Amino acid sequence: MTTIIYTRVSTQEQTESGAGLNAQIDACRAYARAQCWVVTGEYQDAGISGTADLEKRTGLMTAIGELGKGDVLLVAKRDRIGRDVMLVKTIERMVAKHKASIHALNGSNEATPEGALMNTLIDGFAAYEVAVIRARTKAALQAKKARGERMGKIPFGFQADDDGVHIIPCAIEQSALRMISELKTAGYSLQRIANTLNSQGVFNRQGNPWNPVLLHSICKDLSQRLAA
């Protein structure tokens, strides 16, 4: 029998012990040797979520396209195929159209009602784990917001405080914001504001010249950016 190995890791999983691509490949190769299967291809999706749309799963789609009648798509765990129940079912149907099958080292590979039930339960728990992680992340972000702690990219006009958690006004950027506000109040166009700032050596955070696109983003919430 011939088999194609497929491996996947999300960005988060790349740093987790035992979830890396090499560990998955080694486990699948060892299993294939024990079964006397011939490995005809190895494909992977690195840094791709198990809930990502199929068009983003180029490694998986290529692997499925290479499957022939009687071939096996071999994975270390069923959640490598996906962490969304409906998505996994779609992938299973795609594999079945090639008259091939999916074989997971942690699943049931028997074409029986009991085997199908076991795999459905495994897929369900994988999806549940994703939902729990998302819920915890959302709750943590809401708690940080309530405490006034910074979240994501620091907006222009501010900088991280010494504690690395809260944000405080940045004197240099606040000065630039005041100039933008004054020029805007005077009726200057965004292009003219950009030209004025650049001619005076007042550049953006990266030290690059201003342009109308950047200024438009800044001006959308200019009053909120200006510190009292």
Side-chain angles (χ1 to χ4, degrees):
M1 183 179 290
T2 59
T3 182
I4 292 177
I5 294 174
Y6 171 72
T7 56
R8 180 192 64 78
V9 288
S10 65
T11 302
Q12 179 182 358
E13 291 168 334
Q14 289 182 28
T15 60
E16 295 179 359
S17 175
L21 292 172
N22 290 336
Q24 294 177 50
I25 292 174
D26 290 344
C28 288
R29 287 175 178 172
Y31 186 88
R33 285 195 300 269
Q35 302 299 314
C36 296
W37 291 353
V38 177
V39 178
T40 58
E42 297 178 353
Y43 300 93
Q44 63 178 253
D45 284 314
I48 301 296
S49 168
T51 60
D53 294 335
L54 291 178
E55 56 263 29
K56 297 179 180 179
R57 307 279 297 276
T58 55
L60 175 62
M61 298 307 292
T62 303
I64 293 176
E66 293 293 323
L67 292 171
K69 183 179 180 180
D71 286 350
V72 170
L73 181 63
L74 183 61
V75 293
K77 297 174 62 179
R78 279 190 64 84
D79 65 7
R80 299 305 87 193
I81 294 295
R83 285 178 173 268
D84 177 279
V85 175
M86 295 304 296
L87 178 63
V88 173
K89 294 303 180 184
T90 298
I91 294 170
E92 286 181 327
R93 287 194 292 270
M94 294 174 65
V95 171
K97 287 183 178 179
H98 288 261
K99 299 187 183 303
S101 60
I102 297 174
H103 193 110
L105 304 190
N106 72 326
S108 173
N109 301 296
E110 298 179 359
T112 63
E114 293 77 14
L117 175 60
M118 178 178 175
N119 287 337
T120 298
L121 291 173
I122 292 174
D123 297 340
F125 277 111
Y128 169 74
E129 183 179 34
V130 171
V132 169
I133 292 173
R134 287 177 174 173
R136 288 174 177 170
T137 301
K138 182 178 180 180
L141 290 175
Q142 290 176 338
K144 289 183 68 175
K145 184 176 181 180
R147 293 193 299 267
E149 298 177 3
R150 69 185 181 93
M151 300 167 54
K153 185 178 179 180
I154 300 176
F156 185 83
F158 296 87
Q159 64 185 25
D161 201 352
D162 291 338
D163 60 10
V165 175
H166 297 84
I167 61 174
I168 58 175
C170 172
I172 295 177
E173 294 181 359
Q174 284 292 320
S175 177
L177 288 176
R178 285 192 292 271
M179 288 183 63
I180 294 172
S181 179
E182 292 170 359
L183 294 171
K184 187 171 181 291
T185 300
Y188 280 40
S189 67
L190 294 179
Q191 183 62 67
R192 191 178 177 189
I193 293 175
N195 293 340
T196 301
L197 293 173
N198 296 335
S199 66
Q200 296 185 28
V202 180
F203 302 123
N204 64 22
R205 180 176 291 169
Q206 288 72 38
N208 297 322
W210 290 98
N211 61 59
V213 175
L214 291 175
L215 286 173
H216 176 71
S217 177
I218 294 292
C219 290
K220 285 193 300 183
D221 56 354
L222 183 58
S223 61
Q224 298 178 31
R225 293 174 182 268
L226 284 166

